[in-house]
Amino acid sequence: MMVTEGSEYYFDPIGLFVESGETVTFEIQSGSHSATAYKKGTSSASVTRIPEGAETFNSKTLSERGATYEHTFESSGTYDYFCIPHKALGMVGRIVVGKPGGPAEEKMPPDGEVPDSQVIVDQGSVSYSDFTG
């Protein structure tokens, strides 16, 4: 879910584990948002935080409640992503596919904090309300 709640803008869950080949659906619960991979040159991303050789993704901004965007994750590793209009406000998320790995493991995203990849793997998902980053 992509959510606007008062002055908070977030993905819920903020951390998600999936196996290679699984499709993730991003859905607008409220507000206008995007799900955009940190791949240098994709939208306003100045760094790459997805596995080498992985397919990038960018829903562009969706505004209608219930609007969805789907992406199938084929390459194992850690994917950090952001919301185009709310990146500067810390709206970021993390998906671990198969097992942690890649440039996202080096440090936190430049625009916010996400759960540790191993916590995501261990729990399967980390809700925004449970994350204390």
Side-chain angles (χ1 to χ4, degrees):
M1 296 302 252
M2 298 180 274
V3 182
T4 298
E5 190 171 57
S7 61
E8 291 188 89
Y9 305 89
Y10 58 91
F11 294 99
D12 195 20
I14 190 170
L16 181 66
F17 172 79
V18 298
E19 294 292 351
S20 180
E22 285 191 61
T23 300
V24 173
T25 301
F26 299 87
E27 182 178 341
I28 297 287
Q29 182 179 23
S30 54
S32 294
H33 304 286
S34 79
T36 305
Y38 274 102
K39 170 81 172 168
K40 191 172 184 174
T42 300
S43 183
S44 58
S46 59
V47 296
T48 296
R49 299 185 57 80
I50 65 173
E52 186 175 326
E55 183 180 335
T56 191
F57 58 94
N58 182 5
S59 69
K60 303 198 169 121
T61 302
L62 305 170
S63 299
E64 186 177 319
R65 181 183 173 103
T68 61
Y69 171 76
E70 292 184 341
H71 180 76
T72 301
F73 291 85
E74 299 292 349
S75 299
S76 290
T78 305
Y79 295 72
D80 286 345
Y81 60 96
F82 63 92
C83 170
I84 294 169
H86 303 113
K87 179 173 81 149
L89 299 173
M91 188 170 174
V92 297
R94 175 171 279 181
I95 295 174
V96 178
V97 179
K99 63 180 183 176
E105 290 300 317
E106 296 169 9
K107 57 186 173 183
M108 284 289 142
D111 304 295
E113 293 189 22
V114 293
D116 178 77
S117 295
Q118 193 58 53
V119 171
I120 295 169
V121 171
D122 292 345
Q123 295 182 12
S125 70
V126 177
S127 71
Y128 178 79
S129 62
D130 289 342
F131 178 60
T132 58

